Amino acid sequence: MGDATSGRPARPTGPARRTDRARRALDLNAPAVGDRFRLFNFTQRDDYIVYLWVLRAMDRLRAVHRVRVDTDDVAAALAELAPAHDDVPEPGASLRDRLDSLAADRIIHRLEDASRAGSLARYRNRQSVYQFSELGYRAFLAVEDVLAARVEDANLSRLVFSDILDDLRSLAEANRAGDERQVYRRLSRLDQVMEDMVRRSAHFHVTLGEIVTSTEASPELLPRYRLRP
């Protein structure tokens, strides 16, 4: 079905989009997969918490349109985050080394910027600036998404099924009235809701599997994650 508002073919959504992503992932050869996995190297280091906060500081700067930053910028962002978060580290003199390590893993780019040299002495030294790579930023967001996940997200009772029914009724009315734009909007909304339902259902079954295989499984745990009508 095309986009009723533009006349262009609609981009894949929902299950079709997931299938398309899976197909692209399967097409990657071993070296390409290795390069992608390399983006997550920082999660395996002993001081992974420091690297995570360095990336969070860069993301904070990115949010205020500071795309290219140097070590002083990152240090200042970490100092701003510290009062609100007890585990923000003080990387100190090792900050440049950590940024260089992230650049070596390609999660960020390192560029040389002579314009930041305020004196001849600083000009003679390397003046590096850093910015997220496209895939690096996706990797960072993926890590943050996993860290932010909560087991209770698997509870399907949060979905308001009455809203789905209302959308279906509105879709039927728009279809009978020949309102193409409203049909497209309702279908898009329902697609998003169904995709969310599939995601939550998958989370529930993963959680159920963990309960079944856990040595701490008990009848009291199941009601915590059960599907409610």
Side-chain angles (χ1 to χ4, degrees), residues 69-86:
V69 296
D70 60 16
T71 53
D72 292 339
D73 296 327
V74 177
L78 286 169
E80 291 175 0
L81 289 166
H85 306 280
D86 295 335

Side-chain angles (χ1 to χ4, degrees), residues 82-141:
H85 306 280
D86 295 335
D87 55 341
V88 176
E90 295 183 3
S94 64
L95 180 55
R96 180 187 292 275
D97 293 336
R98 297 181 193 280
L99 288 167
D100 285 346
S101 294
L102 290 169
D105 291 337
R106 301 179 184 174
I107 193 168
I108 62 176
H109 293 307
R110 184 182 68 200
L111 308 98
E112 304 307 319
D113 186 5
S115 66
R116 290 183 176 237
S119 65
L120 181 60
R122 292 191 65 187
Y123 179 79
R124 288 172 178 169
N125 294 326
R126 179 165 57 86
Q127 297 299 314
S128 295
V129 290
Y130 305 86
Q131 71 179 66
F132 275 108
S133 66
E134 181 179 355
L135 287 176
Y137 190 62
R138 287 172 180 259
F140 166 70
L141 291 181

Side-chain angles (χ1 to χ4, degrees), residues 3 14-15 21 29 44 82 91 95 98 142 145 149 168 174 191 194 198 203 211 217 221 226 228:
D3 186 337
R21 285 201 300 263
N29 57 28
Q44 300 300 313
L95 180 55
R98 297 181 193 280
D145 187 51
L168 288 171
D191 179 74
M194 295 302 175
V198 170
H203 286 181
I211 293 174
L221 282 178
R226 73 181 186 276
R228 296 185 177 89

Side-chain angles (χ1 to χ4, degrees), residues 29-55:
N29 57 28
V33 171
D35 284 343
R36 299 292 174 92
F37 279 8
R38 185 177 179 181
L39 297 168
F40 297 94
N41 278 357
F42 76 95
T43 65
Q44 300 300 313
R45 296 195 175 103
D46 293 337
D47 49 355
Y48 59 89
I49 292 295
V50 178
Y51 283 95
L52 177 62
W53 278 106
V54 167
L55 291 172

Side-chain angles (χ1 to χ4, degrees), residues 121-170:
R122 292 191 65 187
Y123 179 79
R124 288 172 178 169
N125 294 326
R126 179 165 57 86
Q127 297 299 314
S128 295
V129 290
Y130 305 86
Q131 71 179 66
F132 275 108
S133 66
E134 181 179 355
L135 287 176
Y137 190 62
R138 287 172 180 259
F140 166 70
L141 291 181
V143 171
E144 288 286 74
D145 187 51
V146 170
L147 294 176
R150 297 293 182 268
V151 175
E152 57 267 24
D153 285 346
N155 191 342
L156 289 177
S157 65
R158 293 187 179 183
L159 292 175
V160 183
F161 289 100
S162 60
D163 289 346
I164 298 176
L165 182 59
D166 289 341
D167 281 335
L168 288 171
R169 288 170 176 165
S170 298

